[in-house]
Amino acid sequence: MRDVMVQIPKTPAPASPAPRSVPTSADVARLAGVSRATVSYVLNNTSAVRISEPTRRRVHEAAKELGYVPHAAARSLRAGHSRLVLMPAPTIPVGQLYGQFINELQWALSRLDYTVVQHGSVGLHGDEAARAWAELRPVAVLVPGAGLGPKGVAVLKRSGARAVVTLGPESVEGAHALLMDHEAVGHRAGTHLYERGRRRIGVVVPEEAGLEAFSLPRLEGVRNALRGTDATVTHLPLAHTEEAGARLAARWHDLDLDAVFAYNDEYAMLLMRALQDQGIDVPGETALIGADDLMLGRLLRPRLSTVHLELPSGRDLAELVDRAVRNPGSVPETHKVLGATVVHRESS
């Protein structure tokens, strides 16, 4: 018998689904029953053209249904600049108060149709960091703390940044500046402790690198407040760890202090707990005051005295950025901020 080979036809592989086309603004316009220009005005949050609220709702609902997202690069080409606002990620430990301020600022900028990006520039500082930031071609850069110089500002502007804003103790040539008077914080705290009858006053200065631009002016503020009086000021380096707090509290009697101003509420709370663990009465033996006016300080026993800080509102800073972007040739603005007011509670 001869073998008979039977060929079984192969089942064709299922066809791959055709890739879905990317929705466009024209698709959104058709679904919403408006013009493409109206879609652009609504989704770009343009304030120059008045659009009724029902129309805005229809456009947003259509965009959501289609999964349409505006193309940032195309929008940048049309505008002649990006909408990217760059904020260098902090390389230093930042407190809760500063974190709240940054969140408010990011929200306010997004309402003005800017995209906020935090840039991690680990190992880069000053003008070298500015070159790394410039590679992203931001329309604005917000630089907290110190370190950026005039050369760095020039690099950023040559790369297309229309606004460079510094937040720190000193202004920088060519940049808008929010000057934060940290010396006033220490001055208020030192004056408060002196008026409470304290004469041997310690000042906690964080050991963490990068905080010197804030902590040293606060120390100097206490010294200025007490200069010419019968009070003494003792510099107290302290790392933000339980072990460091315990070591400092263990030698408290040798220091012979009757009051202390801690850099902020977080260091004040750390030290208060360490002093209480050593059996030191606060405020009986040692009065204590912090800064930032955090909610947690009000929950302590004794309640923590503090210096309340008036930071600029995120909305005001966002509007400063927007003005600078719209008028890149304007003279840089300088604003003094960071009002300081003592809140007297039980710990002092």
Side-chain angles (χ1 to χ4, degrees), residues 297-314:
R298 306 173 208 176
L299 305 179
L300 298 180
R301 296 296 180 271
R303 292 178 176 86
L304 181 64
S305 294
T306 189
V307 180
H308 177 81
L309 308 184
E310 291 290 344
L311 288 173
S313 76

Side-chain angles (χ1 to χ4, degrees), residues 113-187:
D113 195 35
Y114 292 97
T115 300
V116 181
V117 173
Q118 285 205 332
H119 185 279
S121 49
V122 178
L124 300 177
H125 304 283
D127 298 339
E128 184 182 6
R131 284 189 286 274
W133 305 335
E135 291 180 6
L136 297 179
R137 298 298 189 267
V139 72
V141 181
L142 306 181
V143 187
L148 183 68
K151 289 183 179 178
V153 173
V155 167
L156 290 168
K157 288 190 172 181
R158 283 197 299 270
S159 73
R162 294 185 167 207
V164 180
V165 183
T166 61
L167 299 84
E170 297 179 351
S171 59
V172 180
E173 181 183 346
H176 300 268
L178 294 183
L179 300 181
M180 298 190 170
D181 188 2
H182 290 276
E183 186 175 322
V185 179
H187 197 284

Side-chain angles (χ1 to χ4, degrees), residues 20-238:
R20 296 181 62 183
S21 59
V22 178
T24 67
S25 61
D27 299 326
V28 176
R30 277 193 295 272
L31 184 58
V34 299
S35 68
R36 290 186 67 178
T38 299
V39 170
S40 177
Y41 294 144
V42 172
L43 297 184
N44 291 327
N45 202 29
T46 302
S47 58
V49 178
R50 186 178 181 83
I51 306 292
S52 70
E53 193 55 38
T55 299
R56 287 183 180 276
R57 267 200 309 273
R58 286 207 315 275
V59 170
H60 283 295
E61 289 169 359
K64 184 176 180 180
E65 181 178 336
L66 294 171
Y68 173 75
V69 178
H71 196 300
R75 183 172 56 184
S76 298
L77 286 173
R78 289 194 299 271
H81 57 78
S82 77
R83 302 293 291 180
L84 178 69
V85 176
L86 185 144
M87 295 183 65
T91 57
I92 59 176
V94 296
Q96 181 180 338
L97 183 67
Y98 180 76
Q100 292 170 348
F101 164 66
I102 292 301
N103 287 339
E104 181 187 348
L105 172 60
Q106 290 179 328
W107 177 86
L109 284 168
S110 69
R111 296 283 293 177
L112 292 172
D113 195 35
Y114 292 97
T115 300
V116 181
V117 173
Q118 285 205 332
H119 185 279
S121 49
V122 178
L124 300 177
H125 304 283
D127 298 339
E128 184 182 6
R131 284 189 286 274
W133 305 335
E135 291 180 6
L136 297 179
R137 298 298 189 267
V139 72
V141 181
L142 306 181
V143 187
L148 183 68
K151 289 183 179 178
V153 173
V155 167
L156 290 168
K157 288 190 172 181
R158 283 197 299 270
S159 73
R162 294 185 167 207
V164 180
V165 183
T166 61
L167 299 84
E170 297 179 351
S171 59
V172 180
E173 181 183 346
H176 300 268
L178 294 183
L179 300 181
M180 298 190 170
D181 188 2
H182 290 276
E183 186 175 322
V185 179
H187 197 284
R188 302 287 191 279
T191 299
H192 171 73
L193 293 173
Y194 188 83
E195 290 175 347
R196 301 297 298 169
R198 308 295 172 153
R199 297 295 182 267
R200 303 182 307 281
I201 299 171
V203 178
V204 166
V205 176
E207 289 187 336
E208 283 73 19
L211 291 175
E212 299 86 356
F214 312 103
S215 61
L216 294 183
R218 295 186 183 192
L219 170 62
E220 191 60 26
V222 176
R223 286 174 171 157
N224 288 338
L226 303 178
R227 189 166 284 120
T229 71
D230 57 341
T232 60
V233 177
T234 302
H235 178 181
L236 301 173
L238 177 64

